[in-house]
Amino acid sequence: GDSVTQMEGPVTLSEEAFLTINCTYTATGYPSLFWYVQYPGEGLQLLLKATKADDKGSNKGFEATYRKETTSFHLEKGSVQVSDSAVYFCALSPGGGADGLTFGKGTHLIIQP
Amino acid sequence: GAGVSQSPSNKVTEKGKDVELRCDPISGHTALYWYRQSLGQGLEFLIYFQGNSAPDKSGLPSDRFSAERTGGSVSTLTIQRTQQEDSAVYLCASSPRGGDDTEAFFGQGTRLTVV
């Protein structure tokens, strides 16, 4: 079945550091890929998405590129802020009319001032 | 309301009791999803509704779990004869039409503790 693998963390960085959170997936067909974020005390919210190979999703300074050849969707940000501290979830939607997201286990990101 | 609303926010129940969890999706959203977030397990998909019908129940972990949706709006997730392994945060999400590229909007979840 479909699956998503991401580094679990916690990942601790200093403010203004470069961030990469790795995400790889296994899926049949042509999934759409997502990053969701859960800030402390809040619900999950969509950060960015990409629906086909080579698409780049971007939002709030974060980027991720849908790489079919490496089945990856790594999340990057050039300069993190304390306010980016949260849990980040990589997810896929299988496509082909099926529905329901398959999530990774989440990566807890801690940014220190 | 403006977002997906879930109730109760916290529920403590004794092993063997039945519980009902409620989800109010965003008005006009036809697709509704239930997920479970367990420590160490991440987020698991449970069930998906399109309108009042559930084309995908593949994630329900056992026959103690059931869900319904009425009027294309409110949904209830029922867990019968709760077990300690049912303890988790149950998340509901809705989206305008479903489909594999649409954003799902999540509620804050119901934290269920079975003692």
Side-chain angles (χ1 to χ4, degrees), chain A residues 22-72:
Chain A
N22 289 338
C23 171
T24 57
Y25 67 90
T26 303
T28 55
Y30 303 95
S32 294
L33 301 174
F34 305 82
W35 278 99
Y36 277 81
V37 59
Q38 189 171 31
Y39 296 104
E42 298 185 17
L44 273 169
Q45 54 189 276
L46 179 67
L47 179 60
L48 53 84
K49 69 178 184 183
T51 58
K52 61 183 188 296
D54 300 325
D55 269 3
K56 178 187 283 187
S58 61
N59 186 25
K60 299 182 180 181
F62 290 88
E63 292 183 340
T65 301
Y66 187 164
R67 300 283 189 207
K68 193 168 186 294
E69 64 276 14
T70 54
T71 60
S72 65

Side-chain angles (χ1 to χ4, degrees), chain A residues 30 32 34 36 38 41-46 49 51 89 93-101 103-105, chain B residues 31 33 35 37 40-45 48 50 56 91 97-108:
Chain A
Y30 303 95
S32 294
F34 305 82
Y36 277 81
Q38 189 171 31
E42 298 185 17
L44 273 169
Q45 54 189 276
L46 179 67
K49 69 178 184 183
T51 58
F89 293 88
S93 181
D99 222 313
L101 294 165
F103 284 89
K105 291 193 175 183
Chain B
Y33 311 81
Y35 294 87
Q37 189 175 20
Q41 296 295 322
L43 275 152
E44 304 169 73
F45 167 75
Y48 155 59
Q50 183 62 256
D56 189 351
L91 293 171
R97 63 180 189 278
D100 51 353
D101 66 342
T102 54
E103 177 180 357
F105 295 82
F106 282 80
Q108 299 246 31

Side-chain angles (χ1 to χ4, degrees), chain B residues 11-25:
Chain B
K11 176 73 177 177
V12 180
T13 190
E14 292 180 352
K15 180 180 168 182
K17 300 280 190 186
D18 298 352
V19 294
E20 281 190 356
L21 312 180
R22 177 187 166 105
C23 173
D24 259 296

Side-chain angles (χ1 to χ4, degrees), chain B residues 27-105:
Chain B
S27 177
H29 281 194
T30 61
L32 185 147
Y33 311 81
W34 283 98
Y35 294 87
R36 180 168 70 173
Q37 189 175 20
S38 309
L39 199 61
Q41 296 295 322
L43 275 152
E44 304 169 73
F45 167 75
L46 298 179
I47 188 169
Y48 155 59
F49 287 92
Q50 183 62 256
N52 289 338
S53 64
D56 189 351
K57 304 180 183 180
S58 62
L60 292 177
S62 77
D63 59 7
R64 297 185 295 105
F65 287 71
S66 62
E68 64 176 16
R69 189 180 185 195
T70 54
S73 182
V74 172
S75 176
T76 304
L77 177 69
T78 301
I79 310 173
Q80 295 178 308
R81 305 180 303 281
T82 52
Q83 304 295 312
Q84 287 185 331
E85 63 262 27
D86 299 333
S87 297
V89 177
Y90 289 82
L91 293 171
C92 177
S94 69
S95 71
R97 63 180 189 278
D100 51 353
D101 66 342
T102 54
E103 177 180 357
F105 295 82

